Structure formats: structure tokens, C-alpha cells
Amino acid sequence: MPKDRAPTRIQKKNRAAILEAALNVFSAHGFRGATVDQIATEAGLSKPNLLYYFPSKEAIHTALLSGLLETWLAPLHDLDADGDPMEEILAYIRRKLEMSRDLPRESRLFANELVQGAPRIHASLSNDLKTLVDEKTAILTQWMDEGKIARLHPHHLIFSIWALTQHYADFDVQVRAILGDEDPFEGAEPFIDTLYRKLLTP
Amino acid sequence: MPKDRAPTRIQKKNRAAILEAALNVFSAHGFRGATVDQIATEAGLSKPNLLYYFPSKEAIHTALLSGLLETWLAPLHDLDADGDPMEEILAYIRRKLEMSRDLPRESRLFANELVQGAPRIHASLSNDLKTLVDEKTAILTQWMDEGKIARLHPHHLIFSIWALTQHYADFDVQVRAILGDEDPFEGAEPFIDTLYRKLLTP
DNA sequence: CGTGAGTTTGACCAGATGGTCAAATCAAGA
DNA sequence: TCTTGATTTGACCATCTGGTCAAACTCACG
């Protein structure tokens, strides 16, 4: 295992390569379905070499998830109580949809984990995620109280945004099987935009 | 392997027990994460005994999926061109949401498969599912042409229904982590109902 | 009962997989 | 250049896992 000092040039490069490869493999096959060998090969390393940088398969997975959770939640974090309600929410939705398009691996990484009961990130959900969501639903509720947007169950409003946007990344195969050549996001963006404009208009 | 004749009492019982156990295990751990031993134990059989009824792990999975696909698509099948548009669609949505509540294992079984690229049911998606969806989107389009419901991209309308309803089964842990003790479906039903009434009203 | 088909299982196997380790190789500063 | 710590690897191991098989057992029915 590399020492605890400042990481060398090689350490930086290899750690990054490993996490990149792990993202590919874990998101495509789930934790159990991924093999250390596969990740190592994709990162251009031998298996023992990979295990020189991370002590175990589990450690790679954990590092990936915790490293990406912040990225994943950033758009919600940005929801600003002082902004225009409708524009803030629509901007959030747009960013989430962009993330489904541009970061589908990240989306599927979390989807894999969640579908199987989140055995490895359960704590983060009940703490970090819940805290953030509660904070933001408070803003939504305030906007509803002020009559700026329609009154709805704020938690389910958030869930609906996650569901609608992440669907395109997580169930990409299904979407493409049905749409054929049509670009999913071409139609999804105006559809979802219209949906929330209608829904949120008081 | 049991002969091809009419199944005996024992065969019926054991095949059913195996499929029930497999549904539990595959939906909770995915194909790769499930072990034959685990399924056998949960079905109350020894591993070789289980393999007397199904030739392989893959065969159990295939039998499960193809057996459940019909159940899964039944609600969409029922969408009736001659019914009242708004009521037909809302009834479909309600049935889908009930299925998420009552058949979460089935939902997660498909979710696991889809998230990982549907390696084992890709053909069904491009054939059976696409055919059914195209048939039903034709009805939706007609309703839109007649001004009975708002004009929207019909495929994305279907996707949105799947996303919103199945989210509660597939990402159950996340939903419950955020809602705490609150029953997810209690709030989901009126939320989704409101959403589609607003969205579909011309 | 007896018998043949249907059912069950202990023992076993081959390949995959996560992980270890000592030895070899490499890189960078003194 | 030399040395020392960082990096890399081939060989190896224990365990897990899907699957096989022959032998034993059970059941239904004549």
C-alpha cells in the first residue's frame, strides 16, 4: 500500500485510472458482477498492482461512491431559496437531466446500489441525503406557502424529479429499444419541462 | 430432469417454490449476485435437487422473467382505445402504482436486469415491448389529435409513468430513508394523480 | 406387496475470484 | 552513480460457485 505522504505522480495517475475503470465496470455489472481482474485490466494494471493502491474490491467501490455522492447531489445543493421559484426548480431539473445524459455511468452506479437495498451506502442516505432533502423541501414548502408554486407534497416532488430524469440513464436500454434511432433527450427535455411548468403553476 | 409429461404434484410444488425463491433472491441481489445454493435453500431444496428441476441458474432466471413479463405489461395491455381517455390513463397509472406497492420484487427484478443493459431480455424489449408500446402510443396520439388530452410526446408520456411509479419499488430504500415513517404510497398516489390530471388536461 | 418411474442427495469437479507475498524492477534525490 | 523507497509482477492460495453423477430413496399404481 502506498504510504500516507503526499501522493506521487504515479499514484495520482494510477488511482485515477482505477477509479475510472471501476466506474465503468461497477456501473455496468453491479458490485458482485464486477471482478477485480476486469477493473485492473481496464485500468491497464495487473491485479496485484491494483491491490497495491486499494486494499480490496470493497474499498474501491466505497471510494467511488463517496467520491461521487457530492457530484451527484450538487445540483440540489444549488437550489437557491432567494431565486425565482419556478426558474430555480426548472434549472435543477435541467441539470439533473443533463447529468443523466452526460454521466449515465454515475447514475447507474447509484441505481445498482439502490435497487439492491443500498447495502453499502445506507448510512449516507439516512444522514447526508436526508438532511439535504429536508433542507430543500423546506424551501419548496415556503414557496408553496407564498403561493409562488402549486401546493404539492414536497418530498414526492423531489422523488418525481429524480425518477423522471434518472430513468433515461438507468433504463437507457429500454428507452432506446422503444425509441429506435430517436435521441431520447431530444424529446425528454421539452416533455419534462412542459410537465413541470404545468404541474408547478399555481 | 423431469419428463415432459403432465407435471406431477411434486413437480408443481417444487417448481413453484423454486420460482418464488428465485424471485426473492434475484430481485434482491441481481443475476450475478444470486447463488444457486441460496435459491435452493430458500426453496427448501438441496442444490442438486433444484438443478433436477431447472437445468441451470440461467434457466431459472429466464423462466422467471418470461413468466413475469406478461404480468408486468398487463396494465398497459388493458389501456382501451374506446374508454374515456383521461380515465383510461389514470387507471393505468393507478394500476402501475399498485404494482409497485404489491409486487416490488418483480419491479426490482426487471430493474436489475435493465440497469445492467438487459443482457438476457434485450430481444423481448425490442420485440414484444416495443410492439405493445407502439400500439398504445398510437391510441394516445389519436386522443391528442381529437383534443381529448393535451398534446405531448406519447413515448415520453409512457416513460414518465413507468419512471414515476416504479421509482417507489426500485428505489424503495432511498424513498424510505427520506420519508422516515411516512408510508410512501400514501403520498405518492395523490401526487401522481394530480400530476397527470394537470399534465393531460388540454 | 412389487416394481419402475420419479425424486433426492452426498461427494465431487473445474473454473472463477478475491486476495497474498516475496522477489524483481523502477524512479528520483543525494 | 548509488541508494532507498516506490512500484510491479508471477506464482500461489483458499474459497466460492455452477454444475455433474451415481447411488439411494420414495411414490403411485397394478
Side-chain angles (χ1 to χ4, degrees):
Chain A
M1 207 175 341
K3 286 293 162 63
D4 224 355
R5 318 179 184 166
T8 67
R9 168 183 62 87
I10 296 178
Q11 273 171 42
K12 266 191 219 168
K13 193 193 66 178
N14 284 346
R15 277 179 185 279
I18 291 169
L19 289 175
E20 168 72 14
L23 177 55
N24 278 332
V25 178
F26 281 134
S27 69
H29 304 290
F31 181 77
R32 190 67 159 44
T35 75
V36 177
D37 249 322
Q38 208 180 340
I39 298 172
T41 302
E42 199 153 324
L45 301 173
S46 65
K47 184 170 58 163
N49 199 178
L50 178 149
L51 290 167
Y52 169 72
Y53 291 99
F54 289 88
S56 68
K57 180 182 174 181
E58 179 107 30
I60 306 172
H61 194 251
T62 302
L64 244 196
L65 281 172
S66 56
L68 289 172
L69 193 58
E70 202 181 344
T71 305
W72 206 240
L73 298 182
L76 183 54
H77 233 286
D78 290 352
L79 191 84
D80 181 6
D82 297 329
D84 174 69
M86 184 69 87
E87 285 315 311
E88 283 293 321
I89 297 172
L90 288 174
Y92 171 55
I93 292 165
R94 247 176 263 123
R95 277 196 70 190
K96 283 294 286 179
L97 190 60
E98 276 165 23
M99 286 177 73
S100 267
R101 186 187 58 203
D102 302 335
L103 308 174
R105 297 175 303 171
E106 285 79 350
S107 188
R108 284 194 281 266
L109 182 76
F110 288 112
N112 261 301
E113 181 68 9
L114 288 177
V115 160
Q116 298 183 12
R120 281 167 285 271
I121 56 163
H122 205 282
S124 299
L125 298 183
S126 307
N127 301 331
D128 306 351
L129 180 59
K130 183 171 170 34
T131 303
L132 176 62
V133 169
D134 283 346
E135 185 189 320
K136 297 306 180 179
T137 50
I139 297 176
L140 295 174
T141 301
Q142 198 196 320
W143 286 341
M144 292 174 197
D145 290 344
E146 296 168 1
K148 303 260 181 71
I149 57 174
R151 178 162 302 284
L152 296 161
H153 192 306
H155 284 119
H156 289 282
L157 176 57
I158 301 266
F159 294 154
S160 75
I161 294 170
W162 292 346
L164 282 176
T165 55
Q166 292 174 12
H167 185 86
Y168 291 95
D170 300 344
F171 303 126
D172 179 75
V173 246
Q174 183 174 250
V175 167
R176 288 183 195 275
I178 287 168
L179 286 184
D181 287 335
E182 190 181 337
D183 173 20
F185 294 93
E186 198 103 358
E189 210 254 293
F191 175 85
I192 295 179
D193 197 88
T194 301
L195 188 156
Y196 282 103
R197 279 187 195 282
K198 284 198 176 190
L199 177 64
L200 293 172
T201 301
Chain B
M1 208 178 337
K3 286 295 164 59
D4 224 355
R5 316 179 187 169
T8 67
R9 169 182 61 89
I10 295 177
Q11 274 173 41
K12 266 190 218 167
K13 193 194 65 177
N14 283 347
R15 277 179 186 278
I18 291 169
L19 290 175
E20 168 71 15
L23 176 55
N24 278 332
V25 178
F26 281 133
S27 68
H29 305 289
F31 181 78
R32 190 65 158 47
T35 75
V36 176
D37 250 322
Q38 209 180 339
I39 298 172
T41 301
E42 200 152 322
L45 300 173
S46 66
K47 184 170 60 164
N49 199 180
L50 179 150
L51 290 167
Y52 169 72
Y53 291 100
F54 289 89
S56 69
K57 180 183 176 180
E58 178 108 29
I60 306 172
H61 194 253
T62 302
L64 245 196
L65 281 173
S66 56
L68 289 173
L69 193 59
E70 203 181 341
T71 305
W72 205 241
L73 298 182
L76 183 53
H77 231 286
D78 290 352
L79 191 85
D80 182 5
D82 296 330
D84 175 71
M86 184 69 85
E87 285 314 312
E88 283 293 321
I89 297 172
L90 288 175
Y92 171 54
I93 292 165
R94 250 176 260 122
R95 280 197 67 189
K96 283 294 284 178
L97 190 60
E98 278 165 22
M99 286 177 72
S100 268
R101 187 186 58 204
D102 301 335
L103 307 174
R105 297 176 304 170
E106 284 79 350
S107 190
R108 285 194 281 264
L109 182 77
F110 287 112
N112 262 301
E113 181 68 10
L114 288 177
V115 156
Q116 297 184 12
R120 281 166 287 271
I121 56 163
H122 205 281
S124 299
L125 297 183
S126 306
N127 302 328
D128 306 352
L129 180 59
K130 182 170 169 37
T131 303
L132 176 62
V133 170
D134 283 346
E135 185 190 321
K136 297 305 179 178
T137 50
I139 297 176
L140 294 174
T141 302
Q142 199 196 319
W143 286 341
M144 292 173 196
D145 289 344
E146 295 168 1
K148 303 259 181 69
I149 56 174
R151 177 162 303 285
L152 296 162
H153 191 307
H155 284 120
H156 289 281
L157 176 56
I158 301 268
F159 294 154
S160 74
I161 294 171
W162 291 348
L164 281 176
T165 56
Q166 293 174 11
H167 185 84
Y168 291 94
D170 299 343
F171 304 126
D172 179 75
V173 247
Q174 182 173 255
V175 168
R176 288 183 194 276
I178 288 168
L179 286 184
D181 287 334
E182 189 181 338
D183 173 21
F185 293 93
E186 199 104 355
E189 210 253 294
F191 175 85
I192 295 179
D193 198 88
T194 301
L195 188 155
Y196 282 103
R197 280 185 194 282
K198 284 199 176 190
L199 177 64
L200 293 171
T201 301

